[in-house]
Amino acid sequence: MELLKTIIVCLFAGCGAGLGTGFAGMSAAAVITPMLVTFLGIPAYSAVGIALASDVLASAVSSYTYGKNKNLDIKNGSIMMAFVLLFTVVGSYVAGLLPDKTMGSFSVVMTMFLGVKFIIKPVMTTKEAMQSVDPKKRVIQSIFSGAMIGFICGFVGAGGGMMMLLILTSVLGYELKTAVGTSVFIMTFTALTGSVSHFIIDGDTPDILVLTLCIIFTLVFARIGARIANKASTKTLNRATGAILIVLGVVVLGANYIK
């Protein structure tokens, strides 16, 4: 019975996390962490490590799909990624010094906020407008944005993808598909850094079954979400992304309420 419960929880967690990653570049930890903590009783810090580990392949396959469809800015994304990686380690270390209850609430608010934003005020920027931004200005913005996003990602194990999507679309002027593609590209490496940092700092071996199931389910649904997103029109993608984020936010909020 416990095995069936574990499989079902990991399936739903992986489904939500994978679709969130494929559609919106969302960190898998925003969904997986509260699900594992609430329904399987896994300690929050360990759950964040499992969620970030699940995010690695899911983000990688999503970024490949977006890159294949020419919706990925590797050059400028790499600048932000360098600072995100550095401050992810810092945030992860600080998180290890704090009690479980301080982790994860930020991502719920950010997820629902962005969901509403994409529906009410969709991102309709074109690639031409995106490329007209002054390169020097973008570098400076990427450095400061990367530092802030990295710390948040490492600290709460979530929110990094959402913060990147917000910064890429609202501050750096990216069109939505390229923003998501670039976000999941960066998240591939931040998730890897964050998960390794969590496992090393935690010191305990994570639940292998839960880790394996979450990785597989998140990967499968991230692939599905990314393929659908790249074929959708910008208007449809905005609405679909907004709806998915709001639903995931409600689910995570419900899980936290049950806890």
Side-chain angles (χ1 to χ4, degrees), residues 15 88 109 114 149 158 179 212 221:
C15 176
T88 294
V109 177
L114 279 182
I149 293 168
T212 302
F221 285 99

Side-chain angles (χ1 to χ4, degrees), residues 81-106:
M81 179 179 68
F83 286 86
V84 170
L85 286 172
L86 174 62
F87 282 85
T88 294
V89 178
V90 176
S92 181
Y93 175 76
V94 174
L97 304 176
L98 301 175
D100 287 351
K101 65 181 180 180
T102 62
M103 304 167 62
S105 60
F106 174 82

Side-chain angles (χ1 to χ4, degrees), residues 164-184:
M164 273 188 279
L165 187 60
L166 179 62
I167 294 297
L168 289 171
T169 55
S170 301
V171 178
L172 301 184
Y174 279 55
E175 60 93 24
L176 186 55
K177 289 183 181 180
T178 305
V180 175
T182 304
S183 176
V184 290

Side-chain angles (χ1 to χ4, degrees), residues 141-163:
Q141 292 174 329
S142 296
I143 291 174
F144 285 100
S145 299
M148 177 179 64
I149 293 168
F151 183 82
I152 292 173
C153 180
F155 182 71
V156 302
M162 294 293 90
M163 284 297 294

